[in-house]
Amino acid sequence: MELPLHIILTFSSLIYGLALAHSLSCMAEYIQNRSEIKQYWVWWIWAIIILFLSLGFWVSTYISWKDASIPMKGFVAIVTQSSIFYLTCYLFFNHINEMKKKDLEHEYYKNKKLTFILILVQYFFIFVLFDMIRDNLSINDIFHHILNYIPLPMFILNPFTFLILLAFIDNKRFQSTLSVFILLGAMIQFLFN
């Protein structure tokens, strides 16, 4: 059974819309109550990056499937990825009354590992699993493509590597430096790609 793209993207868009509504309402609360909350600029960088990711993931989903027939497993993969995005937003953004401490640095490090792992899983869905399902590829085909066609510097300097490092390294200087680097990269990609 194959489903039309517009039905799948509409369903996926609803999930993204819920995630964005939650994210933006939490950000608005933080701005409105800025005197009650200890701010943390790295948290704000990642809030902006997550908003960029919502656009990037949604557009990538459309680009991945626009010329393909979508089997049921493709629909399940798209809905799963969208749902993981919602969970990521819900973990990262908390309403003020849900925060034990009114401290964005504490909030950032409290859910950092799980947030970055979930973002990593979403990249895997969009850039590996979607291709496997759409083109009916095996995991060996994907590894062959990676090993033969992606240069080593691009293989090392990619979102997968950065997200793993961010998830497991707690050094604040490292977190801030890599976060700024990723934000600049995301802005350049959105402006020029």
Side-chain angles (χ1 to χ4, degrees), residues 37-49 92 103-106 108-109 171-184:
I37 298 174
K38 183 179 174 198
Q39 301 293 325
Y40 185 51
W41 66 275
V42 176
W43 184 95
W44 281 101
I45 285 177
W46 275 99
I48 293 166
I49 291 171
F92 189 79
D103 181 354
L104 290 180
E105 183 175 356
H106 172 76
Y108 177 81
Y109 285 98
N171 181 288
K172 291 180 183 179
R173 180 172 281 150
F174 176 81
Q175 289 286 325
S176 60
T177 303
L178 193 52
S179 297
V180 168
F181 177 73
I182 290 171
L183 177 63
L184 291 174

Side-chain angles (χ1 to χ4, degrees), residues 29-88:
E29 283 183 19
Y30 299 162
I31 293 168
Q32 289 172 336
N33 300 297
R34 64 187 168 276
S35 61
E36 299 171 26
I37 298 174
K38 183 179 174 198
Q39 301 293 325
Y40 185 51
W41 66 275
V42 176
W43 184 95
W44 281 101
I45 285 177
W46 275 99
I48 293 166
I49 291 171
I50 289 172
L51 294 178
F52 277 133
L53 285 175
S54 70
L55 296 172
F57 287 160
W58 190 85
V59 169
S60 293
T61 301
Y62 173 75
I63 290 170
S64 291
W65 295 101
K66 69 178 178 161
D67 296 325
S69 58
I70 304 174
M72 186 54 75
K73 61 185 173 184
F75 171 69
V76 170
I78 292 169
V79 171
T80 302
Q81 184 278 322
S82 302
S83 299
I84 292 171
F85 180 77
Y86 178 83
L87 292 173
T88 304

